[in-house]
Amino acid sequence: MGEMNNIFEILGNAADGAFVIDEEQRIVYWNEAAEAILGYTPEEVLGQSCYEILGGCDDHGRAICCPQCYISVTAALTGKAVTSYDVATRTSSGQMRWISVTILVVPQTQDSSPPLVVHLFRDATKKKQREKFILQMLVEAETIQAATVTS
């Protein structure tokens, strides 16, 4: 358990939000930055399923965070790297917030403890709002250009 405590100590000093899940997708660690970003205290989330707390969705409202999470299972079981991704989640107050997530796997330890999956995240709400605005502007520009060409 000393190895895990070292990892938790390191994550405790991270400016990014960090949480760790076990093989059953239960949250076993939640740092202060995660609390600052999403509003949940460690007491509220420890032992809970990550997908129940985050309820994360993609740009189209499709669930990303779910039982048998493809991302966590892929990372933990295969050891393959997972590309960082953005997910819409909710804060403790119910407010929607985009977060950009990076996954790291803590491999199985010498005492045969199963691998743990570390989620590092930062608030990406403003970035997603800018992306949405730019896309809207591009659609409007194409509409105006098409109307000008047909006139």
Side-chain angles (χ1 to χ4, degrees):
M1 194 61 168
E3 190 176 317
M4 289 297 104
N5 287 335
N6 288 340
I7 292 168
F8 295 163
E9 186 177 329
I10 291 167
L11 293 174
N13 294 323
D16 285 341
F19 68 94
V20 179
I21 61 169
D22 64 13
E23 73 279 5
E24 295 179 18
Q25 295 178 267
R26 290 181 308 226
I27 298 171
V28 297
Y29 178 79
W30 188 265
N31 75 356
E32 287 181 20
E35 181 177 352
I37 294 168
L38 296 178
Y40 297 102
T41 65
E43 295 77 23
E44 291 175 292
V45 300
L46 292 178
Q48 301 295 317
S49 298
C50 56
Y51 54 87
E52 290 176 350
I53 298 297
L54 297 176
C57 296
D58 67 11
D59 288 307
H60 305 288
R62 294 178 297 228
I64 292 176
C65 300
C66 59
Q68 311 309 318
C69 171
Y70 172 76
I71 294 166
S72 292
V73 169
T74 297
L77 297 180
T78 67
K80 292 183 181 176
V82 176
T83 303
S84 296
Y85 59 95
D86 294 338
V87 61
T89 186
R90 60 182 177 271
T91 64
S92 63
S93 65
Q95 178 185 12
M96 194 283 294
R97 176 146 310 144
W98 282 95
I99 57 175
S100 182
V101 181
T102 300
I103 301 288
L104 303 171
V105 176
V106 178
Q108 188 172 19
T109 60
Q110 293 175 346
D111 66 359
S112 298
S113 297
L116 297 175
V117 181
V118 177
H119 295 69
L120 295 173
F121 65 93
R122 67 211 50 80
D123 190 334
T125 305
K126 289 181 180 176
K127 178 186 94 163
K128 292 300 280 189
Q129 288 170 340
R130 284 190 299 269
E131 287 175 6
K132 184 177 179 181
F133 176 75
I134 290 168
L135 286 173
Q136 289 172 336
M137 293 289 91
L138 289 172
V139 168
E140 288 297 319
E142 288 174 3
T143 303
I144 291 168
Q145 184 179 15
T148 305
V149 170
T150 59
S151 301

